């Protein structure tokens, strides 16, 4: 077996059924055929048992915020996966739930014929509850594999880190070992396994796989499904092929000046990989490898420090170091929080100091008070905020720096910090392709003080939680082109906007 023990766990007490027809890989969050520890683990088992491998990639209709935008992105990824698996001896089975509940017995039905089931471990959204329920229903061994980041989540031993500094120290101590245990880049290459001849007709009729035509016509395939049809698809395409293209484009055109340009919306200097990371169409390992190769990274020196200092740890260029800080420290801190902090997505999970300060200013008079419809339609008095919200609606993403400002203004304009968080979660998860992710929740809760410290002076509404203003953003950021692109249309008059 080639996957480190820190990467997988057994979810039930059921046995491996050696008489089963195949090993089943239930692909739910790592939706890719490359650099995927879950797929690698399933292949290991198929080799061990000399059985065919069946990859089942389903998409439910009933998950929260399911929409035409999210569905099309995933179906485009399924099309790319189908093309890749078609050239191998692995059987790939993409399933799209046509109505709520239609796939409720999908896993147990496929599991009846399996030797065991391997799936993706993921600490956020509805996945932990779904895995817990599945473990009680299937009659064979169910393993969950962590292929989320450079560090396995389990090595924190249940500790939820409260600051980026403390987590960075942890990363610096642990990452050398993990870089020696990266997932296989091409696990399907030259793979020799028995081929699955067929599946029962009754099973295929009850849970029909998407056809080649359906996969190639994602818009038509998701039209009419019982999902939010008003959240339209965006121009960014899903799938590992597009994810790899985005990665190489970033390295070739943007990485060199990333540290200088990343905060300026007009420069469009960010990687634009967050959606592909969220849906598992690309892995953090692949991104790390590509940047490391571009930087001629030869590994960490023997005397690499572990003092939590941010700059220079990787020994790459300043831009690459800054990007690694986002990819490894901040992203994986968010996954650590989701895995180890109970109710991490709720207001009550904030640090005591932040919650106490916000609560003490709960009744402060707001200069503007906007309800959710006004926010959703980007009809506030603030042109910078409106532009960010319109980018979210039309592009399915938001510039990284402006996302922080976007959240701070929602806090300032909402009746209470709890309502502000509700509004942020709704807007982000409804429209952002990378919403519902631990990284997204980390950003929204950062707005309210998570990972931060008290800031003086104490202010109305914010208390000692960090304050940000649109006026300051206008002064220090390059915004002219951005505002022209995302701030067209009418503005609500101040009289109508205030309540």
């Amino acid at each position: 077996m080639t996957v480190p023990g820190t990467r997988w766990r057994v979810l039930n007490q059921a046995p491996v059924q050696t008489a089963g027809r195949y090993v089943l890989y239930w692909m739910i969050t790592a939706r890719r055929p490359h650099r995927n520890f879950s797929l690698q683990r399933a292949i290991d088992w198929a080799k061990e048992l000399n059985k065919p491998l069946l990859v089942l990639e389903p998409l439910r209709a009933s998950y929260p915020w399911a929409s035409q935008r999210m569905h099309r992105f995933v179906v485009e990824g399924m099309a790319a996966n189908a093309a890749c698996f078609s050239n191998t001896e692995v059987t790939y089975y993409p399933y799209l739930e046509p109505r709520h509940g239609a796939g409720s017995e999908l896993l147990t039905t496929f599991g009846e014929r399996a030797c065991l089931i391997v799936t993706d471990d993921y600490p956020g959204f509805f996945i932990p509850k779904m895995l817990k329920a599945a473990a009680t229903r299937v009659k064979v061994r169910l393993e969950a594999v962590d292929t989320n980041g450079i560090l396995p989540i389990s090595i924190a031993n249940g500790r939820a880190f409260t600051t980026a500094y403390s987590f960075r120290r942890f990363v610096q101590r642990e990452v050398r070992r993990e870089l020696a245990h990266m997932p296989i880049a091409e696990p399907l290459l030259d793979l020799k396994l028995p081929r699955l001849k067929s599946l029962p007709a009754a099973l295929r009729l009850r849970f029909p796989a998407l056809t080649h035509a359906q996969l190639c016509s994602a818009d038509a395939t998701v039209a009419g499904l019982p999902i939010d049809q008003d959240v339209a698809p965006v121009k960014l395409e899903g799938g590992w092929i597009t994810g790899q293209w985005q990665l190489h484009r970033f390295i070739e055109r943007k990485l060199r000046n990333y540290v200088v340009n990343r905060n300026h919306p007009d420069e469009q200097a960010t990687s634009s990989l967050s959606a592909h990371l969220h849906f598992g169409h690309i892995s953090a390992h692949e991104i790390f490898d590509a940047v490391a190769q571009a930087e001629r990274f030869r590994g960490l020196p023997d005397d690499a420090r572990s003092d939590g200092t941010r700059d220079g740890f990787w020994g790459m260029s300043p831009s690459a170091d800054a990007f690694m800080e986002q990819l490894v420290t901040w992203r994986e801190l968010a996954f650590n929080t989701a895995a180890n902090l109970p109710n991490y997505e709720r207001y009550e999970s904030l640090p005591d100091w932040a919650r106490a300060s916000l609560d003490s200013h709960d009744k402060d008079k707001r200069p503007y008070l906007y309800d959710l419809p006004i926010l959703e339609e980007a009809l506030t008095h603030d042109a910078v905020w409106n532009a960010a919200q319109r980018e979210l609606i039309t592009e399915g993403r938001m510039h990284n720096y402006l996302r922080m400002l976007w959240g701070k203004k929602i806090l300032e304009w909402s009746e209470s910090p709890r309502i502000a968080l509700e509004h942020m979660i709704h807007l982000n998860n409804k429209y952002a392709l990378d919403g519902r992710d631990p990284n997204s929740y980390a950003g929204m809760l950062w707005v309210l003080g998570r990972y931060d410290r008290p800031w003086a002076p104490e202010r109305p509404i914010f208390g000692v939680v960090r304050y940000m203003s649109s006026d300051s953003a206008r002064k220090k950021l390059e915004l002219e082109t951005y505002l022209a692109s995302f701030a067209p249309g009418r503005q609500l008059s101040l009289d109508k906007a205030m309540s």
Side-chain angles (χ1 to χ4, degrees):
M1 297 291 189
T2 63
V3 178
T6 53
R7 290 281 180 177
W8 58 270
R9 60 195 178 106
V10 182
L11 301 184
N12 60 6
Q13 300 298 317
V16 175
Q17 297 288 0
T18 57
R21 294 188 56 195
Y22 47 73
V23 171
L24 179 62
Y25 171 30
W26 180 28
M27 179 185 278
I28 53 176
T29 60
R31 298 175 180 267
R32 61 181 180 271
H34 311 294
R35 290 180 172 85
N36 182 343
F37 274 127
S38 303
L39 175 60
Q40 189 174 323
R41 179 73 177 173
I43 289 172
D44 285 348
W45 269 115
K47 289 179 177 179
E48 177 83 9
L49 299 171
N50 193 32
K51 296 287 184 176
L53 176 58
L54 173 61
V55 176
L56 172 65
E57 183 179 4
L59 180 59
R60 295 171 54 180
S62 56
Y63 64 89
W65 296 287
S67 67
Q68 188 181 166
R69 175 172 299 180
M70 312 307 169
H71 259 55
R72 194 190 76 170
F73 199 83
V74 175
V75 171
E76 288 168 340
M78 289 176 167
N81 288 343
C84 184
F85 282 112
S86 68
N87 297 317
T88 74
E89 294 169 332
V90 176
T91 299
Y92 174 69
Y93 203 95
Y95 173 74
L96 185 63
E97 189 177 46
R99 61 188 183 279
H100 293 174
S104 61
E105 300 298 325
L106 178 74
L107 183 65
T108 53
T109 303
F110 275 82
E112 288 173 356
R113 297 164 178 80
C115 300
L116 79 157
I117 303 169
V118 175
T119 193
D120 307 315
D121 213 351
Y122 186 84
F125 204 26
F126 64 86
I127 303 300
K129 290 182 179 179
M130 183 174 72
L131 294 186
K132 186 176 181 180
T136 66
R137 298 177 64 185
V138 298
K139 305 302 182 184
V140 295
R141 178 182 173 112
L142 175 60
E143 292 185 356
V145 182
D146 170 12
T147 190
N148 295 292
I150 305 300
L151 272 64
I153 293 171
S154 67
I155 65 171
N157 293 319
R159 176 185 176 186
F161 289 83
T162 58
T163 66
Y165 170 76
S166 61
F167 186 71
R168 191 181 300 113
R169 290 189 64 187
F170 175 74
V171 169
Q172 291 172 352
R173 290 196 303 269
E174 302 291 338
V175 73
R176 183 196 305 275
R177 179 179 63 251
E178 301 309 326
L179 292 179
H181 299 289
M182 303 285 268
I184 296 171
E186 302 287 347
L188 300 172
L189 187 64
D190 298 325
L191 180 63
K192 301 297 182 184
L193 288 176
R195 184 182 293 273
L196 183 62
K197 295 180 180 179
S198 64
L199 289 166
L203 184 151
R204 289 184 282 110
L205 286 172
R206 184 180 178 189
F207 306 110
L210 290 175
T211 65
H212 177 75
Q214 289 173 316
L215 289 170
C216 293
S217 304
D219 283 329
T221 299
V222 304
L225 291 174
I227 56 179
D228 190 342
Q229 295 288 340
D230 293 331
V231 182
V234 297
K235 60 185 178 182
L236 183 64
E237 183 178 316
W240 64 267
I241 296 173
T242 304
Q244 289 185 352
W245 180 85
Q246 289 282 128
L247 172 59
H248 294 302
R249 182 173 181 267
F250 169 69
I251 291 173
E252 291 174 4
R253 300 185 182 183
K254 303 178 182 182
L255 178 60
R256 177 179 298 178
N257 297 313
Y258 174 80
V259 72
V260 175
N261 293 335
R262 58 178 172 163
N263 286 339
H264 297 289
D266 283 359
E267 298 297 335
Q268 299 184 18
T270 58
S271 69
S272 300
L273 287 168
S274 58
H276 291 93
L277 273 168
H278 170 66
F279 284 106
H281 293 161
I282 197 167
S283 73
H285 298 94
E286 181 165 9
I287 297 171
F288 183 96
D289 277 348
V291 172
Q293 288 181 25
E295 293 285 309
R296 295 180 174 85
F297 177 68
R298 297 181 180 277
L300 294 169
D302 292 339
D303 60 349
R305 65 178 186 272
S306 59
D307 60 1
T309 304
R310 179 174 56 191
D311 297 330
F313 171 75
W314 295 101
M316 301 183 190
S317 67
S319 282
D321 264 8
F323 182 73
M324 288 300 179
E325 171 75 357
Q326 298 300 313
L327 178 71
V328 182
T329 301
W330 281 103
R331 180 175 180 271
E332 299 198 16
L333 173 59
F335 276 76
N336 167 270
T337 301
N340 298 312
L341 181 64
N343 302 315
Y344 73 96
E345 74 277 32
R346 297 183 184 177
Y347 181 81
E348 290 72 21
S349 69
L350 286 169
D352 291 343
W353 69 264
R355 196 170 65 252
S357 187
L358 290 170
D359 287 347
S360 71
H361 290 271
D362 192 27
K363 303 303 181 183
D364 288 0
K365 181 177 176 60
R366 270 61 177 164
Y368 304 98
L369 198 58
Y370 295 119
D371 61 15
L372 183 60
I374 294 298
L375 294 172
E376 190 157 7
E377 294 180 33
L379 296 175
T380 79
H381 72 285
D382 187 324
V384 176
W385 192 92
N386 291 344
Q389 175 64 15
R390 289 194 178 106
E391 182 185 21
L392 179 62
I393 293 171
T394 60
E395 301 290 325
R397 59 186 177 184
M398 192 184 300
H399 185 273
N400 291 351
Y401 185 92
L402 292 183
R403 195 191 298 240
M404 297 185 291
L405 176 65
W406 172 87
K408 293 291 186 180
K409 293 293 103 178
I410 292 177
L411 171 58
E412 186 175 349
W413 300 334
S414 298
E415 292 181 16
S416 72
R418 285 176 172 80
I419 291 175
L421 180 58
E422 291 175 7
H423 289 171
M424 280 188 277
I425 290 173
H426 172 78
L427 295 174
N428 185 74
N429 288 3
K430 179 176 179 179
Y431 292 106
L433 283 169
D434 65 353
R436 308 153 308 279
D437 192 87
N439 209 37
S440 285
Y441 279 97
M444 289 183 285
L445 273 296
W446 176 89
V447 166
L448 304 176
R450 177 167 293 166
Y451 310 130
D452 213 348
R453 59 174 175 82
W455 286 75
E458 187 166 359
R459 297 174 180 268
I461 304 172
F462 288 82
V464 292
V465 168
R466 186 194 301 246
Y467 175 77
M468 294 177 70
S469 74
S470 297
D471 287 342
S472 177
R474 280 181 177 273
K475 291 176 182 177
K476 65 183 181 181
L477 302 181
E478 296 173 17
L479 280 166
E480 184 177 353
T481 301
Y482 183 86
L483 292 176
S485 299
F486 294 111
R490 66 187 181 89
Q491 295 272 323
L492 200 69
S493 71
L494 297 187
D495 290 341
K496 290 182 180 179
M498 295 175 65
S499 59

